[in-house]
Amino acid sequence: MARIIVIGAGITGVTAAYALLARGHEVTVVERHRYPAMETSFANGGQLSASNAEVWNSMATIAKGLRWMLRADAPLLFNPRPSMHKYAWMAEFVAGIGNHRANTVETTRLAIAARSHLFAIAEREGIDFDLSRCGILHFYRTPETFDAARQGNVLLREGGLEREEVGPADIARIEPTLTGDFCGGFFTPSDSTGDIHKFTTGLARACERLGARFVLGGEVDAVALRTDGVSVRLQAAGGLGEGSDTGRLQDLSGGDLGTEMLVEADMVIVCAGVASRALAAKLGDRVNIYPVKGYSITVMLNDEGSCAAAPRVSLLDEDAKIVTSRLGDERFRVAGTAEFNGFNRDIRADRIRPLVEWSERHFPDMCTRQVVPWAGLRPMTPSMMPFVGPGRHPRVFYNTGHGHLGWTLSAITAQMTALAVEQAGAPA
């Protein structure tokens, strides 16, 4: 069995580590943050949603983006400031419109396959992550958007997803707390929700019990690819810049591992989210990932009235591009928007405000006095398909670029990654 370094301790890195451990490999997970799941896997929308598998490559998406460019509160915001990477990514995105059907069908199949793996992992390892098999309800305000959704539903059904079309009375029955005037929707009973951060941190602890080593708080300073193996040099985060304060590397339990480390292995797998593109370039590969920012709020349900007024069924408002998840009894997650603005991680008030106002409009009896805002960068490829498999060098692999479906697809792409490693075998 191989010694493998996994770069990144988000949902894709930790699930990949678990799949590799299950096959008997020796795994070291390295992460620049002090804890797992601190970036895109921290506070996403929470949906495990095969029903949201339709890829964005379409003329309708482009038309909406152009209409929304001058609106600060638009669901899709594109900063027109020149950037070679951004415009090259957009050109490839447009070129992928012809693959809309095939990629949507394939993504749907992957999302359905991922469910059984994720549920089995949680049960096997005893991970509590506020799982709710509540289904997901998509709803629409206008006949035009509803008709367009029917066309997309044909592709989801081709991928094997069972959904039911519902009318206004059905919407009120499925989620009675939802207030609004809707012309119809779709309900997917097999979809579910859960806390990605709780799952990832719980799975990291399970990986450690199974023998994985975690090296946290370390930036990848250099990667050496040789015929007989790979070496990853780590420097404590904060120690790479001249004159900066040097932190400390640590293990999952907080044990001190010093300020630098050289990790030797047979192979390396890049699961580094939006940092994957830069790492791939150092390894001789082109992985075209753009950071697409999304926002969320977590409404703290601190009184009985708010607990009763917040929905239990997961929702997706197709017109506003907003999703919701109920995380246990006392938290309500609302997420949405896509912002093409480089690596900017600022939490903008004008992007958070629409999420709060949407919540107050649709759930007027729910108190929004305590709301926790968050923003994260989704690693998106132009095709909207994850980049899974080998790189040019026989000792390099990738499991990255999942975009808005990292939580949904992670359990199956972890299996695909482990299979790709085994199929490659030990390099000569």
Side-chain angles (χ1 to χ4, degrees), residues 32 55 70 83 119 140 144 208 221 257-258 300 342 369 406 413:
R32 71 186 188 91
V55 298
L70 299 179
S83 160
F119 295 153
Y140 307 84
E144 293 77 17
E208 187 181 46
D221 189 15
L257 300 177
M300 307 307 294
R369 180 176 292 112
T413 60

Side-chain angles (χ1 to χ4, degrees), residues 214-275:
F214 281 78
V215 183
L216 305 173
E219 299 274 6
V220 175
D221 189 15
V223 181
L225 304 175
R226 306 184 307 275
T227 57
D228 62 342
V230 301
S231 301
V232 175
R233 181 174 297 281
L234 300 172
Q235 180 82 31
L240 292 178
E242 185 177 349
S244 63
D245 293 331
T246 301
R248 308 287 294 184
L249 302 171
Q250 61 183 42
D251 61 23
L252 198 58
S253 302
D256 192 339
L257 300 177
T259 59
E260 59 182 35
M261 179 181 292
L262 185 67
V263 184
E264 301 279 359
D266 300 308
M267 302 176 186
V268 62
I269 302 176
V270 177
C271 307
V274 295

Side-chain angles (χ1 to χ4, degrees), residues 2-8 16 20 25 223 225 230 266-272 276 279-280 283 285 287 387-400 413-427:
R3 298 172 301 154
I4 302 174
I5 300 169
V6 175
I7 301 178
L20 293 164
H25 298 292
V223 181
L225 304 175
V230 301
D266 300 308
M267 302 176 186
V268 62
I269 302 176
V270 177
C271 307
S276 298
L279 279 169
L283 299 173
D285 293 309
V287 178
F387 191 94
V388 180
R392 291 182 181 179
H393 195 282
R395 296 186 180 274
V396 175
F397 296 83
Y398 295 90
N399 179 28
T400 189
T413 60
Q415 298 296 322
M416 294 163 60
T417 303
L419 181 60
V421 169
E422 292 195 342
Q423 288 177 339

